[in-house]
Amino acid sequence: MKICVIGAGAMGGTTVEGLVRGTHFNNNDITVADPNKAVLDKFKKMGVNVTTNNSEAAATADIVVVVVKPWLVETVLKQIRPVLVPQNQILIVVAAGVASASIEEWLGLNCPPLFLVIPNIAIAQMASMTFIVPVSASEKDTQTVLDIYNEMGGTLITDEAHLAAGTTLASCGIAYAMRYIRASSEGAVELGFKADDAKKVVLQTLRGAIELLTDTGLHPEAAIDLVTTPQGVTIKGLNEMEHAGFTSAVIRGLKAGLK
């Protein structure tokens, strides 16, 4: 099975890195198409095929992954439309806000089984949270796409109506999580830790919280109760954060991503 990724920017590039680290494809079965020679040189050193010709990449692939800016999707799809073979290929489009109806209109009868997919940049570390919308696909095709992305993190099959919410929750959300890490690290420095030690402590603390919730299935509030004691420092810190609008700020930030 061969796959091509058209567009190797931040999201497309990390997707290629995840594919290279994974086991579904040999490196010589992966093709990257991008106009930037420096980008292509990087991936060529990984042993994958590279080209500046989008149609050339799409013509040789069983799975075509288009990862470009939303305003470029129409141009790229119309460019590769003549070489697409719907009965033999799967099309994955990674572009926030691009509707499946538009994609099907642009491609007409040359539209392969279609998936709208939104990962996040942790896909390169095989730790993405990826939302997948099967638009016109069989169960077999859906399982194929699931298997690929499950190897590169967690997945959730959803509908198109919830894709924007998924984007702000996980794709934008990874930036929100990093902002918390930065803030907590800065606070640790103010408490007297060196910057590198502060980041190490914060990252391990977050890993512990994730593992605890994953292994126990506890609701976050139940886990919080385990470390809060009457008049203790934890509840004082939590209440101070809430006075500053912590929970409200997170929710408002997520909702702002939908506007």
Side-chain angles (χ1 to χ4, degrees):
M1 187 164 58
K2 297 179 182 294
I3 189 168
C4 77
V5 178
I6 298 175
M11 192 68 258
T14 51
T15 297
V16 175
E17 291 178 39
L19 292 171
V20 168
R21 292 181 68 176
T23 61
H24 283 283
F25 302 94
N26 296 320
N27 287 7
N28 59 7
D29 289 328
I30 302 170
T31 298
V32 180
D34 195 272
N36 188 314
K37 184 180 181 300
V39 168
L40 294 183
D41 287 344
K42 168 188 172 181
F43 289 111
K44 188 175 182 179
K45 291 176 182 177
M46 296 181 184
V48 306
N49 305 300
V50 299
T51 180
T52 57
N53 189 315
N54 294 337
S55 295
E56 180 182 282
T60 61
D62 301 298
I63 301 175
V64 179
V65 187
V66 175
V67 196
V68 297
K69 299 298 184 183
W71 56 88
L72 294 175
V73 173
E74 180 178 3
T75 299
V76 170
L77 290 180
K78 287 183 175 178
Q79 184 181 59
I80 68 174
R81 179 173 59 189
V83 302
L84 294 177
V85 184
Q87 59 268 34
N88 295 332
Q89 293 178 308
I90 291 172
L91 174 63
I92 296 171
V93 175
V94 182
V98 178
S100 62
S102 297
I103 294 170
E104 291 174 325
E105 179 184 345
W106 297 330
L107 294 179
L109 295 177
N110 265 33
C111 187
L114 172 63
F115 294 83
L116 303 180
V117 172
I118 298 292
N120 66 35
I121 58 172
I123 197 168
Q125 285 70 43
M126 317 301 271
S128 175
M129 179 62 233
T130 302
F131 294 87
I132 298 173
V133 179
V135 178
S136 55
S138 66
E139 289 187 10
K140 180 181 177 182
D141 290 336
T142 301
Q143 191 59 54
T144 296
V145 173
L146 268 175
D147 289 344
I148 293 168
Y149 282 97
N150 273 334
E151 188 178 32
M152 298 186 288
T155 61
L156 182 67
I157 294 283
T158 188
D159 54 45
E160 194 165 351
H162 287 86
L163 197 57
T167 300
T168 191
L169 186 60
S171 187
C172 302
I174 197 167
Y176 305 154
M178 289 178 183
R179 181 58 60 87
Y180 167 79
I181 292 168
R182 189 189 78 174
S184 192
S185 297
E186 289 177 351
V189 172
E190 194 167 327
L191 293 174
F193 290 96
K194 293 181 179 179
D196 287 345
D197 290 339
K199 189 176 79 168
K200 177 181 178 181
V201 170
V202 173
L203 290 178
Q204 185 56 44
T205 302
L206 284 177
R207 288 190 189 100
I210 292 165
E211 292 297 326
L212 176 65
L213 294 179
T214 301
D215 288 351
T216 65
L218 284 170
H219 187 282
E221 202 61 38
I224 288 171
D225 287 344
L226 296 176
V227 293
T228 52
T229 55
Q231 296 184 327
V233 294
T234 303
I235 193 62
K236 290 177 181 177
L238 287 170
N239 284 341
E240 192 63 32
M241 291 180 189
E242 289 302 330
H243 290 323
F246 179 79
T247 297
S248 176
V250 171
I251 295 170
R252 289 178 64 182
L254 291 170
K255 292 171 73 174
L258 294 176
K259 296 179 181 178

